Amino acid sequence: MPVSAIMSSSGTYIYDLHTHSNVSDGILSPEMLVSRAKLHGVDVLALTDHDTVAGISIATQAAASCGIQLIPGIEFSSQWCGRNIHVVGLNIDPEDPSLVEAVMSQREVRLRRAEAIAERLSRQGIQGSLAGAERMAGGAVIGRPHFARYLVEQGVVSSVETAFKRYLGTGKAGDVKVEWPDFEQVIAWIRQAGGIAVLAHPHKYKLTRTKLIRMATAFVSLGGQAMEVQCGSQALAIAEDLSRIATALGLCASCGSDFHAPGQKWQELGAFGKLPPSVRPVWELWENSNEF
Ligand code: AMP
Ligand code: MN
Ligand code: MN
Ligand code: MN
């Protein structure tokens, strides 16, 4: 069953509603992620691994033992108008049968994509990357960061960042186009599992404002209920603009670090600006439903 928050929305809690563990492309185990969140003062933590819920059960136990509220979540790879867009599901039931099926089908898509990435890299003279990325993943849901880590290990590039710049990022050899499920499908999966669909890091897609509004409007019309207004490190002006868009479209606002690993590129757990006071925080959707 999904965990419902029992805390009040007094605004004094620190919510980090977008994080990754090593069951997808994060570095820390779910338990280590929870302890680090505690250390950084997070009160309510959502684990939102890419296309998997494999870490939820362990994270929930770890959270209970250190007094953190764990919100079961997921970050689905989706598409809108041919672009790869991420949709976070919050407060989902990780055991919901259609969600479990969805996770299996996403895993298949990722495996087929990994084979295609390896094929492309081999044409660039880089051999053995499928086995290498699988080894880096160590049973986790495979993604481009695992290929990036293999390229670093092999000395092909000096950093994960450079691996994306040269081989895996948009327009590069390893950027294999995939028919991810559309908004309608992933929103249905999330809602079926009792969760809230959240449009992830809208600023990261580098859309024009008009396109962004078009995307968010489509998201709302298909049952999406919130949008990340604060995500990772972003300028205050961006959060303010996203807040205006969220409010105009009737979307609640979410916030999260998108933490993957301790280090410079990724934002620390709980470390991002406050939600502007004008928005309706997404946690009201589950905290209020608890009042009855
Ligand atoms: P995938 O889910 O396999 O498409 O890989 C996307 C993931 O790669 C993102 O969730 C990030 O964790 C990571 N990523 C994307 N761009 C970069 C980058 N420039 N440097 C490091 N990691 C990146
Ligand atoms: Mn990631
Ligand atoms: Mn994402
Ligand atoms: Mn993420």
Side-chain angles (χ1 to χ4, degrees), residues 148 151-160 162-164 166-167:
L151 295 179
V152 173
E153 183 204 59
Q154 295 296 300
V156 177
V157 289
S158 58
S159 69
V160 164
T162 316
F164 272 89
R166 296 213 191 126
Y167 293 103

Side-chain angles (χ1 to χ4, degrees), residues 15-287:
Y15 294 79
D16 190 334
L17 302 177
H18 186 154
T19 68
H20 297 273
S21 75
N22 68 358
V23 306
S24 69
D25 61 5
I27 292 289
L28 304 183
S29 67
E31 298 99 313
M32 286 167 72
L33 181 82
V34 168
S35 340
R36 192 176 179 94
K38 177 76 182 173
L39 199 69
H40 287 273
V42 174
D43 300 295
V44 183
L45 174 75
L47 179 61
T48 58
D49 275 303
H50 295 285
D51 300 306
T52 182
V53 290
I56 300 291
S57 151
I58 297 172
T60 304
Q61 287 171 35
S65 66
C66 71
I68 281 190
Q69 171 93 41
L70 196 286
I71 302 296
I74 192 164
E75 182 175 15
F76 273 123
S77 306
S78 177
Q79 65 168 329
W80 175 78
C81 288
R83 290 167 196 269
N84 179 196
I85 307 290
H86 289 173
V87 178
V88 163
L90 291 179
N91 214 29
I92 48 164
D93 173 3
E95 287 166 16
D96 175 82
S98 57
L99 187 90
V100 170
E101 216 170 285
V103 161
M104 287 191 317
S105 103
Q106 293 287 84
R107 195 174 182 104
E108 268 307 303
V109 174
R110 281 181 170 273
L111 278 175
R112 283 200 301 278
R113 184 184 63 155
E115 288 164 4
I117 293 174
E119 171 63 30
R120 295 257 196 103
L121 291 178
S122 81
R123 277 188 246 138
Q124 303 263 315
I126 300 161
Q127 306 307 327
S129 69
L130 183 58
E134 277 173 343
R135 178 164 49 78
M136 291 295 168
V141 162
I142 200 162
R144 283 178 287 169
H146 303 113
F147 281 90
R149 290 171 205 162
Y150 173 71
L151 295 179
V152 173
E153 183 204 59
Q154 295 296 300
V156 177
V157 289
S158 58
S159 69
V160 164
E161 194 67 31
T162 316
F164 272 89
K165 212 174 270 173
R166 296 213 191 126
Y167 293 103
L168 301 161
T170 311
K172 302 297 170 189
D175 174 30
V176 173
K177 294 289 169 236
V178 168
E179 287 289 307
W180 293 114
D182 59 20
F183 273 179
E184 189 170 4
Q185 177 67 83
V186 298
I187 293 168
W189 283 335
I190 292 166
R191 296 199 63 147
Q192 174 75 35
I196 295 153
V198 184
L199 189 57
H201 42 65
H203 180 65
K204 272 203 188 155
Y205 310 114
K206 299 188 170 70
L207 301 172
T208 61
R209 196 170 190 277
T210 309
K211 266 233 167 95
L212 197 159
I213 291 171
R214 207 177 296 153
M215 174 174 72
T217 304
F219 185 73
V220 174
S221 75
L222 295 165
Q225 289 174 278
M227 174 165 112
E228 287 180 351
V229 159
Q230 283 286 11
C231 187
S233 57
Q234 63 183 19
L236 178 63
I238 294 168
E240 284 172 347
D241 193 39
L242 291 173
S243 296
R244 277 191 288 275
I245 295 173
T247 304
L249 296 177
L251 284 164
C252 289
S254 187
C255 56
S257 57
D258 203 4
F259 176 89
H260 283 71
Q264 303 83 15
K265 180 182 160 56
W266 301 106
Q267 202 61 16
E268 189 48 79
L269 289 161
F272 43 82
K274 281 205 157 93
L275 287 180
S278 57
V279 296
R280 183 178 183 207
V282 67
W283 50 85
E284 286 191 359
L285 294 176
W286 63 80
E287 290 181 1

